[in-house]
């Protein structure tokens, strides 16, 4: 018989999500067998950002761009379940892009609940295909699928998770309704996350606005090569010049030759590099790169140029200007001498072309 938890143990589990996840939550990993939720590198990064926000403002507002199956949703659902089961009157609402994803995320929440230790698992007042309610806490957990109407608009919740936002139909209307349910008060959290569906959609605009500090969300990017399992045996592997360039650019952040072997296999499976970059981006630029037959410079080469160390040559300085026309674009001015930018690039917003 397991030893009963002390008051101190309970307090630690209530305060420390990472400790609680490993001790109390169970996931079904890719191997299939139930296992404790031990945070991987991507999840630890999300946790650090969220806890920093809590310490600074008491709230969490995060928008995340990710590769496939990196555990983003698993972490956010764990966070939601922890909040709902340790706070009175706390409601969580999860909105996904399709019915199958809704079932999967709710199945994850139920798995957390069913496998939670008895003395920490709150009694269930109601449970159906898309909701869990805990009567003693007056708290609850609901999931829904984005569609023609606006699910959740009339409720007030303390935790909102928007999953695969780039693929929501009527995304702007859904997000406006869902985010308005989360009050700007201490203890609330709003998470938006997705793989990329290219530029120009609601999710892309929200990410760019977050990077510019315009919408109150903090942007988080999780590169695919942070996953240890995305590796393959590198015996006999000879990288192409492009692959060697990737290793030079991203190696300091964790990209290895074994990752490149796995990448080459997946590129073949997915039908090309651009498809791979959408699903498993190295960088923000790759994730949002628009399909183009006349693209002049690849994002990888741009990234390489940004980190290259060079010296100015004795030629005349040149000013380059990119004048925005309309919309949200910025006008920019860059001063360079040879291959060296001499000053920080200046930008202005809201100017006309004159």
């Amino acid at each position: 018989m397991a030893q009963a938890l002390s008051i101190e143990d309970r307090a630690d589990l209530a305060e420390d999500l990472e400790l609680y996840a490993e001790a109390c939550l169970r996931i079904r990993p890719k191997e299939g067998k139930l296992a404790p939720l031990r945070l991987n590198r991507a999840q630890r990064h999300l946790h650090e950002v969220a806890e920093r926000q809590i310490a600074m403002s008491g709230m969490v507002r995060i928008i995340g761009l990710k590769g496939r199956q990196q555990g983003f949703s698993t972490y956010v659902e764990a966070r939601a379940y922890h909040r709902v089961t340790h706070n009175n009157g706390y409601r969580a609402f999860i909105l996904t892009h399709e019915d199958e994803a809704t079932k999967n995320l709710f199945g994850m929440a139920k798995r957390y609940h069913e496998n939670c230790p008895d003395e920490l698992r709150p009694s269930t007042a109601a449970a159906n295909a898309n909701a869990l309610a805990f009567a003693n806490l007056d708290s609850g957990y609901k999931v829904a699928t984005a569609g023609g109407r606006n699910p959740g608009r009339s409720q007030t919740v303390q935790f909102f998770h928007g999953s695969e936002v780039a693929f929501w139909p009527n995304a702007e209307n859904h997000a406006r309704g869902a985010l308005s349910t989360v009050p700007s008060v201490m203890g609330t959290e709003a998470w938006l996350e997705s793989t990329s569906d290219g530029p120009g959609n609601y999710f892309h605009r929200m990410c760019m606005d977050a990077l510019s500090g315009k919408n109150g969300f903090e942007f988080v990017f999780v590169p695919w090569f942070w996953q240890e399992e995305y590796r393959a045996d590198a015996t006999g592997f000879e990288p192409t010049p492009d692959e060697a360039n990737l290793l030079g650019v991203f190696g300091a952040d964790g990209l290895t030759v074994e990752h490149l072997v796995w990448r080459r296999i997946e590129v073949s499976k997915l039908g090309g590099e651009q498809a791979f970059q959408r699903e498993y981006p190295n960088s923000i630029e790759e994730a949002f790169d628009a399909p183009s037959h006349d693209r002049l410079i690849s994002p990888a080469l741009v990234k390489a140029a940004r980190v290259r160390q060079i010296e100015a040559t004795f030629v005349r300085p040149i000013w380059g200007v990119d004048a925005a026309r309309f919309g949200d674009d910025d006008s920019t001015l860059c001063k360079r001498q040879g291959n060296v930018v001499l000053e920080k690039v200046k930008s202005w917003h809201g100017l006309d072309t004159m």
Side-chain angles (χ1 to χ4, degrees):
M1 183 175 178
Q3 184 177 356
L5 290 171
S6 67
I7 294 175
E8 291 78 11
D9 289 337
R10 286 175 175 266
D12 289 342
L13 292 171
E15 291 296 323
D16 190 332
L17 173 60
E18 189 167 4
L19 179 67
Y20 173 83
E22 183 168 350
C24 304
L25 301 183
R26 296 294 177 267
I27 59 171
R28 181 168 288 120
K30 295 168 186 176
E31 295 79 10
K33 186 178 180 180
L34 287 182
L37 173 53
R38 296 185 178 95
L39 303 189
N40 62 27
R41 180 181 176 183
Q43 292 166 334
R44 288 196 307 272
H45 180 63
L46 294 174
H47 185 63
E48 290 166 4
V49 175
E51 292 303 300
R52 174 173 47 75
Q53 287 194 10
I54 287 287
M56 293 179 64
S57 68
M59 302 182 292
V60 173
R61 299 293 185 270
I62 289 175
I63 183 165
L65 173 64
K66 61 178 188 175
R68 289 186 61 189
Q69 297 184 337
Q70 294 193 263
F72 201 124
S73 292
T74 301
Y75 171 76
V76 179
E77 295 312 302
R79 195 172 179 92
Y81 182 77
H82 186 246
R83 291 286 188 267
V84 166
T85 56
H86 284 82
N87 293 280
N88 289 306
Y90 203 92
R91 307 296 175 93
F93 178 55
I94 288 79
L95 188 63
T96 78
H97 66 305
E98 61 183 11
D99 288 338
E100 191 63 30
T102 302
K103 293 176 184 176
N104 288 340
L105 289 190
F106 192 57
M108 187 184 299
K110 290 196 291 186
R111 188 177 304 114
Y112 289 156
H113 186 61
E114 290 166 359
N115 291 280
C116 188
D118 291 344
E119 57 188 313
L120 294 176
R121 184 174 63 240
S123 59
T124 305
N128 54 43
N130 62 359
L132 281 172
F134 309 113
N136 293 340
L137 295 172
D138 188 29
S139 63
Y141 187 109
K142 290 185 177 179
V143 297
T145 305
R149 56 191 181 86
N150 283 316
R153 177 181 283 271
S154 61
Q155 60 183 318
T156 298
V157 301
Q158 288 70 45
F159 193 108
F160 174 70
H161 173 200
S163 178
E164 294 295 352
V165 177
F167 301 92
W168 286 0
N170 306 312
E172 193 158 355
N173 289 335
H174 281 305
R176 188 185 303 117
L179 291 174
S180 68
T181 69
V182 186
S184 294
V185 298
M186 299 277 284
T188 59
E189 303 195 13
W191 294 76
L192 302 175
E193 50 86 1
S194 189
T195 50
S196 172
D197 193 32
N201 53 49
Y202 170 79
F203 179 70
H204 173 250
R205 292 194 299 274
M206 282 291 287
C207 288
M208 295 301 102
D209 285 349
L211 282 167
S212 301
K214 296 177 181 178
N215 59 14
F217 278 76
E218 182 171 351
F219 177 82
V220 176
F221 172 66
V222 180
W224 68 273
F225 52 80
W226 282 9
Q227 303 305 115
E228 291 295 320
E229 66 270 27
Y230 291 166
R231 297 169 181 254
D233 181 17
T235 302
F237 177 75
E238 291 290 338
T240 66
D242 285 344
E243 289 168 338
N245 181 61
L246 290 176
L247 195 61
V249 174
F250 299 106
D253 198 25
L255 181 68
T256 66
V257 173
E258 289 77 15
H259 284 121
L260 290 177
V261 179
W262 184 89
R263 178 185 184 275
R264 186 184 289 183
I265 295 169
E266 293 300 311
V267 166
S268 177
K269 289 181 182 177
L270 293 171
E273 289 212 2
Q274 192 162 71
F276 179 88
Q277 289 169 358
R278 287 284 178 85
E279 300 287 336
Y280 304 97
N282 291 307
S283 65
I284 303 166
E285 294 82 5
E286 277 192 4
F288 289 128
D289 186 30
S292 176
H293 67 278
D294 58 354
R295 181 180 62 195
L296 181 61
I297 304 173
S298 73
L301 291 178
V302 173
K303 179 78 172 180
R306 291 174 64 182
V307 300
R308 189 170 64 237
Q309 299 296 318
I310 54 177
E311 296 181 358
T313 55
F314 292 100
V315 295
R316 182 167 36 184
I318 296 175
W319 281 261
V321 180
D322 181 4
R325 296 184 65 196
F326 308 105
D328 294 331
D329 285 347
D330 290 340
S331 296
T332 56
L333 175 66
C334 176
K335 181 181 179 182
R336 71 175 177 88
Q337 186 174 20
N339 285 335
V340 175
V341 176
L342 298 178
E343 302 172 3
K344 183 178 179 180
V345 176
K346 299 179 176 63
S347 63
W348 296 267
H349 188 73
L351 301 181
D352 60 30
T353 53
M354 295 298 104

